[in-house]
Every structure is written in structure tokens, then in C-alpha cells.
């Protein structure tokens, strides 16, 4: 699935969940899906509690370096979503398994660990991705 996002550009994003001790694809986002749809798919509930998820997103944005024409850039980020309100055991499981996922996804531009809404807002994520751009 990661290669389909990275090389094939077939999907905008993928959401992963840990089930029965394995990391599985829970949902694929179509190329036309928005960042808001990604957040909806990412922020699931486990009963009454917020649940953890991993997400890989192919983020496109306009880049306008000084003295040059604006162009569109695409960067893939890997996100570990573990809200503070989720169960402690879940948070521990997702945090400890995150390294495995990071090693598996070669070519990810940025890795983001998020525990609150302010850290997954589109503006905050874009700021992190733009920080690696050169003007």
C-alpha cells in the first residue's frame, strides 16, 4: 500500500490499525480526498474512548521560493495519532510499534507524533513539512 501512495500515486492516504497483534490497513483515501476526510478516518473511537491510529499521507502544497515561479510540491508524512484521551494500553502499544512502521516506510519525508487536535490541524502539519523547504 505504501508503494502505491509513494510511487504509484494511487491513493491520497492510508490509515492503519493494530488488530490481533498485526498492523493492518483499515482505510485507503482516494486521490481526491481532502485533509479533513483524512482526519475523520484517522480519529476513530473505541467504544466511548478515542482510539489510536497510524496514517500515511501524500501532502501537496504550493511552494513559492523567492525569485522563482510557484510550484506544487508533494511530501509524504507518517503520523502516529495517540490522543491523550485514549486508553493507556493502546497508547503504549502504538508507541512501541511505531519504530517498526518507520523502518518499513522508506522515503517518508517527515514523521509526526500527535497527541492532540492542535498537532494534527492542517496548518500545523503543513508548517512542519514546509520547515524542510529551502527558499
Amino acid at each position: 500500500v505504501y508503494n502505491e501512495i509513494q510511487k504509484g500515486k494511487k491513493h491520497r492516504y492510508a490509515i492503519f490499525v493494530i488488530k490481533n497483534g498485526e498492523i493492518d490497513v483499515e482505510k485507503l483515501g482516494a486521490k481526491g480526498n481532502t485533509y479533513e476526510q483524512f482526519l475523520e478516518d484517522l480519529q476513530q473511537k473505541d467504544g466511548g474512548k478515542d482510539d489510536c491510529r497510524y496514517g500515511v499521507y501524500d501532502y501537496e502544497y504550493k511552494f513559492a521560493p523567492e525569485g522563482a515561479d510557484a510550484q506544487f510540491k508533494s511530501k509524504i508524512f507518517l503520523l502516529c495519532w495517540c490522543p491523550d484521551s485514549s486508553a493507556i494500553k493502546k497508547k503504549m502499544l502504538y508507541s512501541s510499534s511505531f519504530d517498526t512502521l518507520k523502518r518499513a516506510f522508506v522515503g517518508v519525508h517527515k514523521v509526526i507524533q500527535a497527541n492532540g487536535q492542535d498537532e494534527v490541524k492542517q496548518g500545523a502539519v503543513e508548517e512542519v513539512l514546509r520547515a524542510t523547504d529551502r527558499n
Side-chain angles (χ1 to χ4, degrees):
V1 169
Y2 175 66
N3 285 336
E4 290 176 3
I5 293 172
Q6 185 191 32
K7 293 183 177 83
K9 303 284 183 194
K10 291 181 181 169
H11 312 289
R12 172 68 58 215
Y13 60 84
I15 304 292
F16 300 89
V17 63
I18 298 178
K19 259 194 215 152
N20 305 324
E22 289 186 6
I23 300 172
D24 283 335
V25 175
E26 182 178 51
K27 188 152 193 175
L28 293 173
K31 201 70 183 135
N33 281 19
T34 63
Y35 190 78
E36 286 74 31
Q37 288 167 308
F38 167 68
L39 288 182
E40 262 178 49
D41 291 339
L42 183 75
Q43 297 171 343
Q44 298 296 315
K45 295 262 188 223
D46 179 17
K49 286 194 170 207
D50 290 323
D51 207 357
C52 302
R53 291 288 185 278
Y54 300 121
V56 172
Y57 193 99
D58 185 4
Y59 193 85
E60 290 177 349
Y61 62 96
K62 207 173 201 173
F63 175 64
E66 263 178 53
D69 290 338
Q71 60 193 27
F72 278 97
K73 269 192 154 183
S74 166
K75 288 187 179 174
I76 294 174
F77 69 85
L78 172 62
L79 176 75
C80 179
W81 170 247
C82 282
D84 292 327
S85 51
S86 57
I88 301 265
K89 279 186 176 180
K90 280 270 173 87
K91 286 196 272 194
M92 288 170 62
L93 176 65
Y94 274 79
S95 294
S96 63
S97 304
F98 197 37
D99 279 340
T100 306
L101 213 53
K102 284 192 272 192
R103 282 194 297 274
F105 294 161
V106 178
V108 164
H109 293 105
K110 206 74 190 155
V111 173
I112 301 169
Q113 181 114 24
N115 305 85
Q117 290 294 336
D118 55 325
E119 295 169 304
V120 289
K121 281 187 186 149
Q122 191 167 356
V125 169
E126 190 168 316
E127 195 176 304
V128 167
L129 296 175
R130 284 183 183 273
T132 59
D133 288 339
R134 283 188 227 114
N135 280 334

